[in-house]
Coordinates of all heavy atoms in Angstrom, one line a residue:
I1 N 60.8 8.2 -40.6 CA 59.5 8.7 -40.0 C 59.0 9.8 -40.8 O 59.7 10.6 -41.4 CB 59.7 9.1 -38.5 CG1 60.8 10.2 -38.5 CG2 60.1 7.9 -37.7 CD1 61.0 10.8 -37.0
T2 N 57.7 9.9 -40.8 CA 57.0 11.0 -41.5 C 56.2 11.9 -40.6 O 55.5 12.9 -40.9 CB 56.0 10.5 -42.6 OG1 55.0 9.6 -41.9 CG2 56.7 9.7 -43.6
E3 N 56.3 11.6 -39.2 CA 55.5 12.3 -38.2 C 56.3 12.3 -36.9 O 56.9 11.4 -36.5 CB 54.1 11.6 -38.0 CG 53.2 12.3 -37.1 CD 51.9 11.7 -36.9 OE1 51.9 10.6 -36.3 OE2 50.9 12.2 -37.3
F4 N 56.2 13.5 -36.3 CA 56.8 13.6 -34.9 C 55.7 13.7 -33.9 O 54.5 14.0 -34.3 CB 57.6 15.0 -34.8 CG 58.9 15.0 -35.6 CD1 59.1 16.0 -36.5 CD2 59.9 14.1 -35.4 CE1 60.3 16.0 -37.2 CE2 61.1 14.1 -36.1 CZ 61.2 15.1 -37.0
I5 N 56.0 13.3 -32.7 CA 55.0 13.4 -31.6 C 55.5 14.4 -30.6 O 56.6 14.3 -30.1 CB 54.9 12.0 -30.9 CG1 54.5 10.9 -31.8 CG2 53.9 12.2 -29.7 CD1 53.1 11.1 -32.4
L6 N 54.8 15.5 -30.5 CA 55.2 16.6 -29.5 C 54.7 16.1 -28.1 O 53.5 16.1 -27.8 CB 54.5 17.9 -29.9 CG 55.0 18.6 -31.2 CD1 54.2 19.8 -31.5 CD2 56.5 19.0 -31.0
R7 N 55.6 15.9 -27.2 CA 55.3 15.4 -25.9 C 54.7 16.5 -25.0 O 53.9 16.3 -24.2 CB 56.6 14.8 -25.3 CG 56.3 14.1 -23.9 CD 57.4 13.2 -23.4 NE 57.1 12.5 -22.3 CZ 57.3 13.0 -21.0 NH1 57.9 14.1 -20.8 NH2 57.0 12.2 -20.0
G8 N 55.2 17.7 -25.3 CA 54.6 18.9 -24.6 C 54.7 18.7 -23.1 O 55.8 18.5 -22.6
F9 N 53.6 18.9 -22.4 CA 53.6 18.8 -20.9 C 52.9 17.4 -20.5 O 52.0 17.4 -19.7 CB 52.8 19.9 -20.3 CG 53.5 21.3 -20.6 CD1 53.0 22.0 -21.7 CD2 54.6 21.7 -19.9 CE1 53.6 23.2 -22.0 CE2 55.2 22.9 -20.1 CZ 54.8 23.7 -21.2
G10 N 53.3 16.3 -21.2 CA 52.7 15.0 -21.0 C 52.8 14.6 -19.6 O 52.0 13.8 -19.1
E11 N 53.8 15.1 -18.8 CA 53.9 14.7 -17.4 C 52.9 15.4 -16.5 O 52.8 15.0 -15.3 CB 55.4 15.0 -16.9 CG 55.7 16.5 -16.8 CD 56.0 17.1 -18.2 OE1 56.1 16.4 -19.1 OE2 56.3 18.3 -18.2
L12 N 52.1 16.3 -17.0 CA 51.1 17.0 -16.3 C 49.7 16.7 -16.9 O 48.8 17.6 -17.0 CB 51.4 18.5 -16.3 CG 52.7 19.0 -15.7 CD1 52.9 20.5 -16.0 CD2 52.8 18.6 -14.2
R13 N 49.4 15.5 -17.3 CA 48.2 15.1 -17.9 C 47.0 15.4 -17.1 O 45.9 15.9 -17.6 CB 48.2 13.6 -18.2 CG 49.1 13.2 -19.4 CD 49.0 11.7 -19.7 NE 47.6 11.3 -20.0 CZ 47.0 11.4 -21.1 NH1 47.7 12.0 -22.1 NH2 45.7 11.0 -21.3
E14 N 47.1 15.3 -15.7 CA 45.9 15.5 -14.9 C 45.6 17.1 -14.8 O 44.5 17.4 -14.4 CB 46.2 15.0 -13.5 CG 47.3 15.7 -12.7 CD 48.7 15.2 -13.1 OE1 48.8 14.3 -14.0 OE2 49.7 15.6 -12.5
L15 N 46.5 17.9 -15.3 CA 46.3 19.3 -15.3 C 46.0 19.9 -16.6 O 46.0 21.1 -16.9 CB 47.5 20.1 -14.6 CG 47.8 19.7 -13.2 CD1 49.1 20.4 -12.8 CD2 46.7 20.1 -12.3
R16 N 45.8 19.0 -17.6 CA 45.7 19.5 -19.0 C 44.6 20.5 -19.3 O 44.7 21.4 -20.1 CB 45.7 18.4 -20.0 CG 44.5 17.4 -19.9 CD 44.7 16.3 -21.0 NE 43.5 15.5 -21.0 CZ 43.3 14.5 -21.9 NH1 44.2 14.3 -22.8 NH2 42.2 13.8 -21.8
I17 N 43.4 20.3 -18.6 CA 42.2 21.1 -18.8 C 42.6 22.6 -18.2 O 42.2 23.6 -18.9 CB 41.0 20.5 -18.2 CG1 40.6 19.2 -18.8 CG2 39.8 21.6 -18.4 CD1 40.3 19.3 -20.3
L18 N 43.1 22.5 -17.1 CA 43.5 23.8 -16.4 C 44.6 24.5 -17.2 O 44.5 25.7 -17.5 CB 44.1 23.5 -15.0 CG 44.6 24.7 -14.2 CD1 43.5 25.8 -14.1 CD2 45.2 24.3 -12.9
L19 N 45.6 23.8 -17.8 CA 46.6 24.3 -18.6 C 46.0 24.9 -19.9 O 46.4 26.0 -20.4 CB 47.7 23.3 -18.8 CG 48.6 22.9 -17.7 CD1 49.5 21.8 -18.1 CD2 49.4 24.1 -17.2
F20 N 45.0 24.2 -20.4 CA 44.4 24.6 -21.7 C 43.8 25.9 -21.5 O 43.9 26.9 -22.2 CB 43.4 23.6 -22.1 CG 42.5 24.1 -23.3 CD1 42.9 24.1 -24.5 CD2 41.2 24.5 -22.9 CE1 42.1 24.6 -25.5 CE2 40.4 25.0 -23.9 CZ 40.8 25.1 -25.3
L21 N 43.0 26.1 -20.3 CA 42.3 27.4 -20.0 C 43.3 28.5 -19.8 O 43.1 29.6 -20.3 CB 41.4 27.1 -18.9 CG 40.2 26.2 -19.0 CD1 39.4 26.0 -17.7 CD2 39.3 26.7 -20.1
V22 N 44.3 28.2 -19.1 CA 45.4 29.2 -18.8 C 46.0 29.7 -20.1 O 46.1 30.9 -20.3 CB 46.4 28.7 -17.8 CG1 47.6 29.7 -17.7 CG2 45.8 28.5 -16.5
F23 N 46.5 28.8 -20.9 CA 47.2 29.2 -22.2 C 46.2 29.8 -23.2 O 46.6 30.6 -24.0 CB 47.9 28.0 -22.7 CG 49.2 27.7 -22.0 CD1 49.3 26.6 -21.2 CD2 50.2 28.7 -22.0 CE1 50.5 26.3 -20.5 CE2 51.5 28.3 -21.3 CZ 51.6 27.2 -20.6
L24 N 44.9 29.3 -23.2 CA 43.9 29.9 -24.0 C 43.7 31.4 -23.7 O 43.6 32.3 -24.5 CB 42.5 29.2 -23.9 CG 41.4 29.8 -24.8 CD1 41.7 29.7 -26.3 CD2 40.1 29.0 -24.5
M25 N 43.6 31.7 -22.4 CA 43.4 33.1 -21.9 C 44.7 33.9 -22.3 O 44.5 35.0 -22.8 CB 43.2 33.1 -20.4 CG 42.9 34.5 -19.8 SD 41.4 35.2 -20.5 CE 40.2 34.0 -20.0
I26 N 45.8 33.3 -22.2 CA 47.1 34.0 -22.5 C 47.1 34.4 -24.0 O 47.4 35.5 -24.5 CB 48.3 33.2 -22.2 CG1 48.5 33.2 -20.6 CG2 49.6 33.8 -22.8 CD1 49.6 32.2 -20.2
Y27 N 46.7 33.4 -24.8 CA 46.7 33.6 -26.3 C 45.6 34.7 -26.7 O 45.9 35.6 -27.5 CB 46.2 32.3 -27.0 CG 46.3 32.3 -28.4 CD1 47.4 32.8 -29.1 CD2 45.2 31.9 -29.2 CE1 47.4 32.9 -30.5 CE2 45.2 32.0 -30.6 CZ 46.3 32.5 -31.3 OH 46.3 32.5 -32.7
I28 N 44.5 34.7 -26.1 CA 43.4 35.7 -26.4 C 43.9 37.1 -26.0 O 43.8 38.0 -26.8 CB 42.1 35.4 -25.6 CG1 41.5 34.1 -26.2 CG2 41.1 36.5 -25.8 CD1 40.3 33.6 -25.4
M29 N 44.5 37.2 -24.8 CA 45.0 38.5 -24.3 C 46.2 38.9 -25.2 O 46.3 40.1 -25.5 CB 45.5 38.3 -22.9 CG 44.3 38.1 -21.9 SD 45.0 37.8 -20.2 CE 45.9 39.3 -19.8
T30 N 47.0 38.0 -25.7 CA 48.1 38.4 -26.5 C 47.6 38.9 -27.8 O 48.2 39.9 -28.4 CB 49.1 37.1 -26.7 OG1 49.6 36.7 -25.5 CG2 50.2 37.5 -27.6
M31 N 46.7 38.2 -28.4 CA 46.2 38.6 -29.7 C 45.5 40.0 -29.6 O 45.6 40.8 -30.4 CB 45.2 37.5 -30.3 CG 45.9 36.2 -30.5 SD 47.2 36.3 -31.8 CE 46.2 36.5 -33.3

């Protein structure tokens, strides 16, 4: 194989937009 698939939080697909916003805010505050 030449590529991996990061499953991440695949079991929470319905919450991915919410999770994106939460972790984006965390990243901005961290930086």
